[in-house]
């Protein structure tokens, strides 16, 4: 009542709005994780597969994350600076690279760096690999994540050997509008 000047109906309306925002936020994180999980076992983002403007024989963990976020309704933008080696050379737009997700100083629109990950967050690290800028996937809870490896979409513990733990894993949480 203090926030609404003692007016019960105004306070009730404010509470309903806040509850709606909380429900929408929880729902988007669940949609992100569930969408990622439904692709476990798929080879659509495999190294030897062409996927949209990503050629064969390219890493596609960032493309997997981008596609899942779009499907789940998390507003995710292309970035316009520079070209990625895995896109058609004429394209200037591309999803954020794994190394950008994994760089705590990089601005990733609608995502903030966090310390304690939960279901629906992003896990990433940057690394100077010859064929990639790092690795990125989606947190599904209990220390696990879903990501594209060279063959299929898989779920495993984030701290296993696939997640090169010699690099710092950066977590990000969605703070943008839900569709």
């Amino acid at each position: 009542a203090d926030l609404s000047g003692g007016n019960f109906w105004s306070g009730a309306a404010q509470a309903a709005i806040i509850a709606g925002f909380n429900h929408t936020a929880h729902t988007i994180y669940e949609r992100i994780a569930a969408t990622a999980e439904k692709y476990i076992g798929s080879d659509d983002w495999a190294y030897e597969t062409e996927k949209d403007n990503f050629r064969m024989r390219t890493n596609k963990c960032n493309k997997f994350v981008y596609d899942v976020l779009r499907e789940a309704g998390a507003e995710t933008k292309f970035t316009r600076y520079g070209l990625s080696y895995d896109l058609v050379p004429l394209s200037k737009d591309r999803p954020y690279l794994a190394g950008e997700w994994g760089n705590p100083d990089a601005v990733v629109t609608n995502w903030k760096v966090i310390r304690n990950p939960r279901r629906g967050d992003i896990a990433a690290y940057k690394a100077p690999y010859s064929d990639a800028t790092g690795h990125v996937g989606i947190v599904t809870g209990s220390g696990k994540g879903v990501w594209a490896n060279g063959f299929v979409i898989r779920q495993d513990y984030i701290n296993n050997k696939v997640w090169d733990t010699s690099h710092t894993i950066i977590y990000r949480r969605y703070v943008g509008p839900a569709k």
Side-chain angles (χ1 to χ4, degrees), residues 45-46 60-61 64 135-137 146-154:
W45 292 268
K60 298 172 188 72
C61 61
F64 171 69
H135 193 49
V136 62
V146 173
W147 61 85
N149 70 11
F151 306 102
V152 296
I153 302 302
R154 63 177 291 173

Side-chain angles (χ1 to χ4, degrees), residues 2-177:
D2 288 340
L3 289 175
S4 61
N7 183 315
F8 171 81
W9 293 111
S10 180
Q14 287 174 1
I17 291 168
I18 291 168
F21 284 136
N22 286 339
H23 174 73
T24 299
H26 175 73
T27 301
I28 190 67
Y29 304 128
E30 180 56 36
R31 283 196 320 248
I32 291 168
T35 301
E37 289 171 326
K38 83 177 189 178
Y39 289 110
I40 294 171
S42 170
D43 64 357
D44 286 355
W45 292 268
Y47 187 80
E48 294 292 334
T49 302
E50 185 173 320
K51 180 75 170 162
D52 301 327
N53 59 344
F54 280 62
R55 297 183 303 237
M56 291 177 62
R57 291 181 286 289
T58 60
N59 291 299
K60 298 172 188 72
C61 61
N62 66 319
K63 173 66 170 150
F64 171 69
V65 167
Y66 175 81
D67 289 348
V68 165
L69 296 177
R70 297 282 297 195
E71 184 177 334
E75 186 176 292
T76 305
K77 301 184 184 298
F78 274 127
T79 184
R80 291 194 65 91
Y81 51 94
L83 289 175
S84 169
Y85 56 86
D86 55 1
L87 293 177
V88 176
L90 298 176
S91 175
K92 290 187 180 178
D93 292 338
R94 61 170 171 75
Y96 290 102
L97 301 174
E100 292 166 334
W101 283 105
N103 178 353
D105 298 322
V107 175
V108 178
T109 304
N110 294 328
W111 293 83
K112 71 175 181 176
V113 174
I114 52 132
R115 290 185 186 267
N116 299 308
R118 65 180 183 209
R119 189 168 166 81
D121 290 340
I122 299 296
Y125 66 84
K126 64 179 183 170
Y129 298 137
S130 63
D131 63 348
T133 62
H135 193 49
V136 62
I138 296 170
V139 176
T140 55
S142 300
K144 291 185 177 182
V146 173
W147 61 85
N149 70 11
F151 306 102
V152 296
I153 302 302
R154 63 177 291 173
Q155 182 177 44
D156 208 339
Y157 289 97
I158 293 171
N159 64 356
N160 77 2
K161 65 182 178 181
V162 173
W163 284 87
D164 184 347
T165 53
S166 65
H167 302 286
T168 302
I169 297 175
I170 300 301
Y171 298 99
R172 292 182 185 261
R173 181 162 297 144
Y174 185 67
V175 294

